[in-house]
Amino acid sequence: MTLQRHKGPVFSLKWNRTGSMLLSGSVDKTAIVWDTKTGDVVQQFEFHKAPTLDVDWRDADSFASCSTDRMIYVCKLGNTNYLKCFRGHNDEVNAIKWDPSGTLLASCSDDYTAKVWSMKQDTYIHD
């Protein structure tokens, strides 16, 4: 099947743990969760103000996305607003990765830093 909804190049793509959903991030500033059995859009997230560079699943129904807008958003399926917004990088955020427990998120940026974030606080815990 062909998954068509993004209005720009797709920069990142991640399967969820069960393979039932696919998460994509695009230059069109959005992240989309796809149903892999039907190809339908489960939900599209539009929080970034610039291209979405990376996405990563946190657990079965939540994920993070990062962007050239220097922001990281943690989103949950079914929610119309984000769960958490991480601010702290001084340049675009290129990649993100959750730890296996889903409590810590690592990020790297064009500001020459890598940071670790916790869902329990609003600022980074390691730089």
Side-chain angles (χ1 to χ4, degrees), residues 47-127:
F47 301 123
H48 289 293
K49 293 181 172 68
T52 302
L53 296 181
D54 197 17
V55 292
D56 194 44
W57 287 100
R58 178 180 178 218
D59 54 31
D61 62 354
S62 65
F63 67 91
S65 65
C66 67
S67 167
T68 61
D69 66 7
R70 305 175 183 182
M71 306 298 288
I72 300 168
Y73 292 106
V74 181
C75 305
K76 185 178 177 95
L77 284 173
N79 289 23
T80 55
N81 203 356
Y82 51 84
L83 297 177
K84 195 108 176 141
C85 174
F86 293 125
R87 293 179 179 90
H89 280 292
N90 296 319
D91 207 338
E92 63 186 55
V93 185
N94 297 312
I96 50 176
K97 183 68 178 167
W98 286 102
D99 78 307
S101 72
T103 55
L104 299 175
L105 180 70
S107 62
C108 60
S109 168
D110 277 4
D111 67 9
Y112 306 115
T113 69
K115 297 184 188 309
V116 177
W117 311 83
S118 169
M119 285 299 288
K120 296 176 182 173
Q121 56 186 80
D122 293 331
T123 57
Y124 53 84
I125 59 171
H126 296 291
D127 184 16

Coordinates of all heavy atoms in Angstrom, one line a residue, residues 47-127:
F47 N 2.0 20.2 15.9 CA 2.4 21.1 16.9 C 3.7 21.9 16.5 O 3.9 23.1 17.0 CB 2.7 20.4 18.3 CG 1.5 19.7 18.8 CD1 1.6 18.3 19.0 CD2 0.3 20.3 19.1 CE1 0.5 17.6 19.5 CE2 -0.8 19.7 19.6 CZ -0.7 18.3 19.8
H48 N 4.5 21.4 15.7 CA 5.8 22.0 15.3 C 5.5 23.2 14.3 O 4.5 23.2 13.6 CB 6.7 21.0 14.7 CG 7.3 20.1 15.6 ND1 8.1 20.4 16.7 CD2 7.1 18.7 15.8 CE1 8.5 19.4 17.4 NE2 7.9 18.3 16.9
K49 N 6.4 24.2 14.4 CA 6.3 25.4 13.6 C 7.3 25.3 12.4 O 7.5 26.2 11.6 CB 6.5 26.6 14.4 CG 5.4 26.9 15.4 CD 5.7 28.2 16.2 CE 4.5 28.6 17.0 NZ 4.3 27.7 18.1
A50 N 8.0 24.2 12.3 CA 9.1 23.9 11.3 C 9.2 22.4 11.1 O 8.5 21.7 11.7 CB 10.4 24.5 11.8
P51 N 10.0 22.0 10.1 CA 10.0 20.6 9.8 C 10.3 19.7 11.0 O 11.1 19.9 11.8 CB 11.2 20.5 8.8 CG 11.2 21.8 8.1 CD 10.8 22.8 9.2
T52 N 9.5 18.5 11.0 CA 9.7 17.5 12.0 C 10.9 16.6 11.5 O 10.8 16.0 10.4 CB 8.4 16.7 12.1 OG1 7.4 17.6 12.5 CG2 8.6 15.6 13.2
L53 N 11.9 16.5 12.3 CA 13.1 15.7 11.8 C 13.1 14.3 12.3 O 13.7 13.4 11.7 CB 14.4 16.5 12.3 CG 14.6 17.9 11.7 CD1 15.9 18.5 12.2 CD2 14.6 17.8 10.2
D54 N 12.6 14.0 13.5 CA 12.7 12.7 14.1 C 11.5 12.4 15.0 O 10.9 13.4 15.5 CB 14.0 12.5 14.9 CG 14.3 11.0 15.1 OD1 13.7 10.1 14.4 OD2 15.1 10.7 16.0
V55 N 11.1 11.2 15.1 CA 10.0 10.7 15.9 C 10.5 9.4 16.6 O 11.3 8.7 16.1 CB 8.7 10.4 15.1 CG1 8.1 11.7 14.6 CG2 9.0 9.4 14.0
D56 N 9.9 9.1 17.8 CA 10.3 7.9 18.5 C 9.1 7.5 19.4 O 8.7 8.3 20.2 CB 11.6 8.0 19.3 CG 12.1 6.6 19.7 OD1 12.1 5.7 18.9 OD2 12.5 6.5 20.9
W57 N 8.7 6.2 19.3 CA 7.6 5.7 20.2 C 8.1 5.7 21.7 O 9.2 5.2 21.9 CB 7.2 4.3 19.8 CG 6.4 4.3 18.6 CD1 6.9 4.0 17.3 CD2 5.0 4.6 18.4 NE1 5.8 4.1 16.4 CE2 4.7 4.4 17.1 CE3 4.0 5.0 19.3 CZ2 3.4 4.6 16.6 CZ3 2.7 5.2 18.9 CH2 2.4 5.0 17.5
R58 N 7.3 6.1 22.6 CA 7.6 6.0 24.0 C 7.0 4.7 24.6 O 7.6 4.0 25.4 CB 6.9 7.2 24.8 CG 7.1 7.1 26.2 CD 6.5 8.4 26.9 NE 6.6 8.3 28.3 CZ 5.7 8.6 29.2 NH1 4.5 9.1 28.7 NH2 5.9 8.5 30.5
D59 N 5.8 4.4 24.2 CA 5.1 3.2 24.6 C 4.0 2.9 23.5 O 4.1 3.4 22.4 CB 4.5 3.3 26.0 CG 3.6 4.5 26.2 OD1 2.9 4.9 25.2 OD2 3.5 5.0 27.3
A60 N 3.0 2.1 23.9 CA 2.0 1.6 22.9 C 1.2 2.8 22.2 O 0.8 2.6 21.1 CB 1.1 0.6 23.5
D61 N 1.0 3.9 23.0 CA 0.2 4.9 22.4 C 0.7 6.3 22.6 O 0.0 7.3 22.4 CB -1.2 4.8 23.0 CG -1.3 5.0 24.5 OD1 -0.2 5.1 25.1 OD2 -2.4 5.1 25.1
S62 N 2.0 6.5 22.9 CA 2.6 7.8 23.0 C 4.0 7.8 22.4 O 4.6 6.8 22.2 CB 2.6 8.3 24.4 OG 3.5 7.6 25.2
F63 N 4.4 9.0 21.9 CA 5.7 9.2 21.2 C 6.2 10.6 21.4 O 5.5 11.5 21.9 CB 5.5 8.9 19.7 CG 4.6 9.9 19.0 CD1 5.2 11.0 18.4 CD2 3.2 9.7 19.0 CE1 4.4 11.9 17.8 CE2 2.4 10.6 18.3 CZ 3.0 11.8 17.7
A64 N 7.4 10.8 21.0 CA 8.0 12.2 20.9 C 8.3 12.5 19.5 O 8.6 11.7 18.7 CB 9.2 12.3 21.8
S65 N 8.3 13.8 19.2 CA 8.8 14.4 17.9 C 9.7 15.6 18.2 O 9.5 16.3 19.2 CB 7.6 14.7 17.1 OG 6.9 15.8 17.6
C66 N 10.7 15.8 17.3 CA 11.6 16.9 17.4 C 11.6 17.6 16.0 O 11.3 17.0 15.0 CB 12.9 16.5 17.9 SG 13.9 15.4 16.8
S67 N 12.2 18.8 16.1 CA 12.0 19.7 14.9 C 13.2 20.7 14.8 O 13.9 21.0 15.7 CB 10.7 20.4 15.0 OG 10.6 21.4 14.0
T68 N 13.2 21.3 13.6 CA 14.1 22.4 13.4 C 13.7 23.7 14.2 O 14.4 24.6 14.3 CB 14.2 22.8 11.9 OG1 13.0 23.2 11.4 CG2 14.8 21.7 11.1
D69 N 12.4 23.6 14.7 CA 12.0 24.7 15.6 C 12.5 24.7 17.0 O 12.1 25.5 17.9 CB 10.4 24.8 15.6 CG 9.8 23.6 16.3 OD1 10.5 22.7 16.9 OD2 8.5 23.5 16.2
R70 N 13.4 23.7 17.3 CA 14.1 23.5 18.5 C 13.3 22.9 19.6 O 13.7 22.8 20.8 CB 14.7 24.9 19.1 CG 15.6 25.6 18.1 CD 16.0 26.9 18.6 NE 16.8 27.6 17.5 CZ 17.3 28.8 17.7 NH1 17.2 29.4 18.8 NH2 18.0 29.3 16.7
M71 N 12.1 22.5 19.3 CA 11.1 22.0 20.3 C 11.1 20.4 20.2 O 11.3 19.8 19.2 CB 9.7 22.5 20.0 CG 9.7 24.0 20.0 SD 10.2 24.8 21.5 CE 8.7 24.4 22.5
I72 N 10.7 19.8 21.3 CA 10.4 18.4 21.4 C 9.0 18.3 22.1 O 8.8 18.9 23.1 CB 11.4 17.7 22.3 CG1 12.8 17.8 21.7 CG2 11.0 16.2 22.4 CD1 13.9 17.3 22.7
Y73 N 8.1 17.6 21.4 CA 6.8 17.4 21.9 C 6.5 15.9 22.2 O 6.9 15.1 21.4 CB 5.7 17.9 20.9 CG 5.7 19.3 20.7 CD1 6.2 19.9 19.6 CD2 5.1 20.2 21.7 CE1 6.2 21.3 19.4 CE2 5.1 21.6 21.5 CZ 5.6 22.1 20.4 OH 5.6 23.5 20.2
V74 N 5.9 15.6 23.3 CA 5.5 14.3 23.7 C 4.0 14.2 23.5 O 3.3 15.1 24.0 CB 5.9 13.9 25.1 CG1 5.4 12.5 25.4 CG2 7.4 14.1 25.4
C75 N 3.5 13.3 22.6 CA 2.1 13.3 22.2 C 1.6 11.9 22.6 O 2.3 10.9 22.7 CB 2.0 13.5 20.7 SG 2.8 15.0 20.1
K76 N 0.2 11.9 22.7 CA -0.5 10.6 23.0 C -1.7 10.5 22.1 O -2.4 11.4 21.8 CB -0.9 10.6 24.4 CG -1.6 9.3 24.9 CD -1.9 9.4 26.4 CE -2.7 8.2 26.8 NZ -1.8 7.2 27.5
L77 N -1.8 9.3 21.5 CA -3.0 9.0 20.6 C -4.3 9.3 21.4 O -4.4 9.0 22.6 CB -3.0 7.6 20.2 CG -2.0 7.2 19.1 CD1 -2.0 5.7 18.9 CD2 -2.3 7.9 17.8
G78 N -5.2 10.0 20.7 CA -6.5 10.3 21.3 C -6.5 11.7 21.9 O -7.6 12.3 22.1
N79 N -5.3 12.3 22.2 CA -5.3 13.6 22.8 C -5.1 14.7 21.7 O -4.3 14.5 20.7 CB -4.1 13.7 23.7 CG -4.3 12.9 25.0 OD1 -5.1 12.0 25.1 ND2 -3.6 13.3 26.1
T80 N -5.8 15.8 21.8 CA -5.6 16.9 20.8 C -4.5 17.8 21.2 O -4.1 18.6 20.4 CB -7.0 17.6 20.7 OG1 -7.4 18.1 22.0 CG2 -8.0 16.7 20.1
N81 N -4.0 17.8 22.5 CA -2.9 18.6 22.9 C -1.8 17.7 23.2 O -1.9 16.5 23.5 CB -3.3 19.5 24.1 CG -2.4 20.7 24.2 OD1 -1.5 20.9 23.4 ND2 -2.7 21.6 25.1
Y82 N -0.5 18.2 23.3 CA 0.6 17.4 23.7 C 0.6 17.2 25.2 O 0.1 17.9 25.9 CB 1.9 18.1 23.2 CG 2.1 19.5 23.5 CD1 2.6 19.9 24.8 CD2 1.8 20.5 22.7 CE1 2.8 21.2 25.2 CE2 1.9 21.9 23.0 CZ 2.4 22.2 24.3 OH 2.6 23.5 24.6
L83 N 1.3 16.1 25.6 CA 1.5 15.8 27.0 C 2.6 16.6 27.6 O 2.5 17.1 28.8 CB 1.9 14.3 27.2 CG 0.9 13.2 26.7 CD1 1.5 11.9 27.0 CD2 -0.4 13.4 27.5
K84 N 3.6 16.9 26.9 CA 4.8 17.6 27.4 C 5.5 18.3 26.3 O 5.5 17.8 25.2 CB 5.7 16.5 28.1 CG 6.8 17.1 28.9 CD 6.4 16.8 30.4 CE 7.5 17.2 31.3 NZ 7.0 17.8 32.5
C85 N 6.1 19.4 26.6 CA 6.9 20.2 25.6 C 8.2 20.4 26.3 O 8.3 21.0 27.4 CB 6.2 21.5 25.3 SG 7.1 22.6 24.3
F86 N 9.3 20.0 25.6 CA 10.7 20.2 26.1 C 11.3 21.3 25.3 O 11.4 21.3 24.1 CB 11.5 19.0 26.0 CG 11.1 17.8 26.9 CD1 10.8 16.6 26.4 CD2 11.0 18.0 28.3 CE1 10.4 15.6 27.2 CE2 10.6 17.0 29.1 CZ 10.3 15.8 28.6
R87 N 11.8 22.4 26.0 CA 12.5 23.5 25.4 C 13.9 23.6 26.1 O 14.0 23.5 27.3 CB 11.8 24.8 25.7 CG 10.5 25.0 25.1 CD 9.9 26.4 25.5 NE 8.6 26.6 24.8 CZ 7.5 26.2 25.4 NH1 7.4 25.7 26.5 NH2 6.3 26.5 24.7
G88 N 14.9 23.8 25.3 CA 16.3 23.9 25.9 C 17.4 23.9 24.9 O 18.5 24.4 25.2
H89 N 17.2 23.4 23.8 CA 18.2 23.4 22.7 C 18.2 24.8 22.1 O 17.2 25.4 21.9 CB 17.9 22.3 21.7 CG 18.4 21.0 22.1 ND1 19.7 20.6 22.3 CD2 17.7 19.8 22.4 CE1 19.8 19.3 22.6 NE2 18.5 18.8 22.7
N90 N 19.4 25.2 21.6 CA 19.6 26.5 21.0 C 19.6 26.4 19.5 O 19.9 27.5 18.8 CB 20.8 27.2 21.5 CG 20.7 27.5 23.0 OD1 19.7 27.9 23.5 ND2 21.8 27.2 23.8
D91 N 19.4 25.3 18.9 CA 19.4 25.1 17.5 C 18.5 23.9 17.2 O 18.0 23.3 18.1 CB 20.8 24.9 16.9 CG 20.9 25.4 15.5 OD1 19.9 25.4 14.8 OD2 22.1 25.6 15.1
E92 N 18.4 23.5 15.9 CA 17.4 22.4 15.6 C 17.8 21.1 16.3 O 18.9 20.8 16.5 CB 17.3 22.3 14.1 CG 18.6 21.8 13.4 CD 18.4 21.8 11.9 OE1 18.0 22.9 11.3 OE2 18.7 20.8 11.3
V93 N 16.7 20.4 16.6 CA 16.9 19.1 17.3 C 16.8 18.0 16.2 O 15.8 17.9 15.6 CB 15.8 18.9 18.4 CG1 16.1 17.6 19.1 CG2 15.8 20.1 19.4
N94 N 17.9 17.3 16.0 CA 18.0 16.4 14.9 C 17.5 15.0 15.2 O 17.0 14.3 14.3 CB 19.5 16.3 14.5 CG 20.0 17.6 14.0 OD1 19.4 18.2 13.2 ND2 21.2 18.0 14.5
A95 N 17.7 14.5 16.4 CA 17.3 13.1 16.7 C 16.9 13.0 18.1 O 17.4 13.7 19.0 CB 18.4 12.1 16.3
I96 N 16.0 12.0 18.4 CA 15.5 11.7 19.8 C 15.4 10.2 19.9 O 15.2 9.5 19.0 CB 14.2 12.4 20.1 CG1 13.2 12.1 19.0 CG2 14.3 13.9 20.3 CD1 11.8 12.6 19.2
K97 N 15.5 9.7 21.2 CA 15.4 8.3 21.5 C 15.0 8.1 22.9 O 15.6 8.7 23.8 CB 16.8 7.6 21.2 CG 16.7 6.1 21.4 CD 15.9 5.4 20.4 CE 15.9 3.9 20.6 NZ 14.9 3.3 19.8
W98 N 13.9 7.3 23.2 CA 13.5 7.0 24.5 C 14.3 5.9 25.1 O 14.8 5.0 24.4 CB 12.0 6.5 24.5 CG 11.0 7.6 24.3 CD1 10.4 7.9 23.1 CD2 10.6 8.6 25.2 NE1 9.6 9.0 23.3 CE2 9.7 9.4 24.6 CE3 10.9 8.8 26.6 CZ2 9.0 10.5 25.3 CZ3 10.2 9.8 27.3 CH2 9.3 10.7 26.6
D99 N 14.5 5.9 26.4 CA 15.1 4.8 27.1 C 14.0 3.7 27.1 O 12.8 3.9 26.9 CB 15.6 5.1 28.5 CG 14.5 5.2 29.5 OD1 13.5 5.9 29.2 OD2 14.5 4.5 30.5
P100 N 14.4 2.4 27.4 CA 13.4 1.3 27.3 C 12.2 1.5 28.3 O 11.2 1.0 28.0 CB 14.3 0.1 27.7 CG 15.6 0.4 27.3 CD 15.8 1.9 27.5
S101 N 12.4 2.2 29.4 CA 11.3 2.3 30.3 C 10.3 3.4 29.9 O 9.2 3.6 30.5 CB 11.9 2.6 31.7 OG 12.4 4.0 31.8
G102 N 10.7 4.3 29.0 CA 9.9 5.4 28.5 C 9.8 6.6 29.5 O 8.9 7.4 29.4
T103 N 10.8 6.7 30.4 CA 10.8 7.8 31.4 C 11.9 8.8 31.0 O 11.7 10.0 31.3 CB 11.1 7.3 32.8 OG1 12.3 6.6 32.8 CG2 10.0 6.4 33.3
L104 N 12.9 8.4 30.3 CA 14.0 9.4 29.9 C 14.0 9.5 28.3 O 14.0 8.4 27.7 CB 15.3 8.9 30.4 CG 15.4 8.9 31.9 CD1 16.8 8.3 32.3 CD2 15.2 10.2 32.6
L105 N 14.2 10.7 27.9 CA 14.4 10.9 26.4 C 15.7 11.6 26.1 O 16.0 12.6 26.8 CB 13.2 11.8 25.9 CG 13.2 12.1 24.4 CD1 12.8 10.9 23.6 CD2 12.2 13.3 24.2
A106 N 16.5 11.1 25.2 CA 17.7 11.7 24.8 C 17.5 12.4 23.5 O 16.7 12.0 22.7 CB 18.8 10.6 24.6
S107 N 18.2 13.6 23.4 CA 18.1 14.4 22.2 C 19.4 14.9 21.8 O 20.3 15.1 22.6 CB 17.1 15.5 22.4 OG 17.6 16.4 23.4
C108 N 19.6 15.1 20.5 CA 20.9 15.8 20.0 C 20.5 16.9 19.0 O 19.5 16.9 18.4 CB 21.8 14.7 19.4 SG 21.1 13.9 17.9
S109 N 21.4 17.9 19.0 CA 21.0 19.1 18.3 C 22.2 19.7 17.5 O 23.4 19.4 17.8 CB 20.6 20.1 19.4 OG 20.5 21.4 18.8
D110 N 21.9 20.6 16.6 CA 22.9 21.4 15.9 C 23.6 22.4 16.8 O 24.5 23.0 16.4 CB 22.3 22.1 14.7 CG 22.2 21.3 13.5 OD1 22.5 20.1 13.5 OD2 21.7 21.8 12.4
D111 N 23.1 22.5 18.1 CA 23.8 23.4 19.0 C 25.0 22.7 19.7 O 25.6 23.1 20.7 CB 22.9 23.9 20.1 CG 22.3 22.8 21.0 OD1 22.7 21.7 21.0 OD2 21.3 23.2 21.8
Y112 N 25.4 21.5 19.1 CA 26.5 20.7 19.6 C 26.3 20.0 20.9 O 27.3 19.7 21.6 CB 27.8 21.5 19.6 CG 28.2 22.2 18.3 CD1 28.2 23.6 18.3 CD2 28.5 21.5 17.2 CE1 28.5 24.2 17.1 CE2 28.7 22.1 16.0 CZ 28.8 23.5 15.9 OH 29.0 24.2 14.8
T113 N 25.1 19.9 21.4 CA 24.8 19.2 22.6 C 23.9 18.0 22.5 O 23.1 17.9 21.5 CB 24.1 20.2 23.7 OG1 22.8 20.5 23.2 CG2 24.9 21.4 23.9
A114 N 24.0 17.1 23.4 CA 23.0 16.1 23.6 C 22.4 16.3 25.0 O 23.2 16.6 25.9 CB 23.7 14.7 23.5
K115 N 21.2 16.1 25.1 CA 20.5 16.4 26.4 C 19.6 15.1 26.8 O 19.2 14.4 25.9 CB 19.6 17.6 26.4 CG 20.4 18.9 26.1 CD 19.5 20.1 26.2 CE 20.1 21.4 25.7 NZ 21.4 21.7 26.3
V116 N 19.4 15.0 28.1 CA 18.5 13.9 28.6 C 17.4 14.6 29.3 O 17.6 15.5 30.2 CB 19.2 12.9 29.4 CG1 18.2 11.9 30.0 CG2 20.4 12.2 28.7
W117 N 16.2 14.2 29.0 CA 15.0 14.8 29.6 C 14.2 13.8 30.4 O 14.2 12.6 30.0 CB 14.1 15.3 28.4 CG 14.8 16.2 27.4 CD1 15.5 15.7 26.4 CD2 14.8 17.6 27.4 NE1 16.0 16.8 25.6 CE2 15.6 18.0 26.2 CE3 14.3 18.6 28.2 CZ2 15.8 19.3 25.9 CZ3 14.6 19.9 27.8 CH2 15.3 20.3 26.7
S118 N 13.5 14.2 31.4 CA 12.6 13.3 32.2 C 11.2 13.8 32.1 O 10.9 15.0 32.1 CB 13.1 13.4 33.6 OG 12.1 12.7 34.5
M119 N 10.3 12.8 32.0 CA 8.9 13.2 32.0 C 8.4 13.8 33.3 O 7.4 14.4 33.4 CB 8.0 11.9 31.7 CG 8.1 11.5 30.3 SD 7.4 12.7 29.1 CE 5.7 12.6 29.5
K120 N 9.3 13.7 34.3 CA 9.0 14.2 35.7 C 9.3 15.7 35.8 O 9.0 16.3 36.9 CB 9.6 13.4 36.8 CG 9.1 12.0 36.8 CD 9.9 11.2 37.8 CE 9.4 9.7 37.8 NZ 10.2 8.9 38.6
Q121 N 10.0 16.3 34.9 CA 10.4 17.7 35.0 C 10.4 18.4 33.6 O 10.4 17.7 32.6 CB 11.7 18.0 35.8 CG 12.9 17.3 35.2 CD 14.1 17.5 36.1 OE1 14.2 16.8 37.2 NE2 14.9 18.4 35.8
D122 N 10.4 19.7 33.7 CA 10.2 20.5 32.4 C 11.5 20.8 31.7 O 11.5 21.2 30.6 CB 9.4 21.8 32.7 CG 8.0 21.5 33.1 OD1 7.4 20.5 32.6 OD2 7.4 22.3 33.9
T123 N 12.6 20.8 32.5 CA 13.9 21.1 31.9 C 14.8 19.8 31.8 O 14.5 18.9 32.5 CB 14.7 22.2 32.7 OG1 14.8 21.7 34.1 CG2 13.9 23.5 32.7
Y124 N 15.8 19.9 31.0 CA 16.7 18.7 30.9 C 17.4 18.4 32.2 O 17.6 19.2 33.0 CB 17.7 18.9 29.7 CG 18.5 20.1 29.8 CD1 19.7 20.2 30.6 CD2 18.2 21.3 29.1 CE1 20.5 21.3 30.7 CE2 19.0 22.4 29.2 CZ 20.1 22.4 30.0 OH 20.9 23.5 30.0
I125 N 17.7 17.1 32.3 CA 18.3 16.7 33.6 C 19.8 16.4 33.4 O 20.6 16.4 34.3 CB 17.7 15.4 34.2 CG1 17.7 14.2 33.2 CG2 16.2 15.7 34.6 CD1 17.2 12.9 33.8
H126 N 20.3 16.3 32.1 CA 21.7 16.1 31.8 C 21.9 16.9 30.5 O 21.1 16.9 29.6 CB 22.1 14.7 31.6 CG 21.9 13.8 32.8 ND1 22.8 14.0 33.9 CD2 21.1 12.8 33.1 CE1 22.4 13.1 34.8 NE2 21.4 12.4 34.4
D127 N 23.1 17.5 30.3 CA 23.5 18.2 29.2 C 24.9 17.8 28.8 O 25.8 17.9 29.6 CB 23.4 19.7 29.5 CG 23.7 20.6 28.3 OD1 23.6 20.1 27.1 OD2 23.9 21.8 28.5

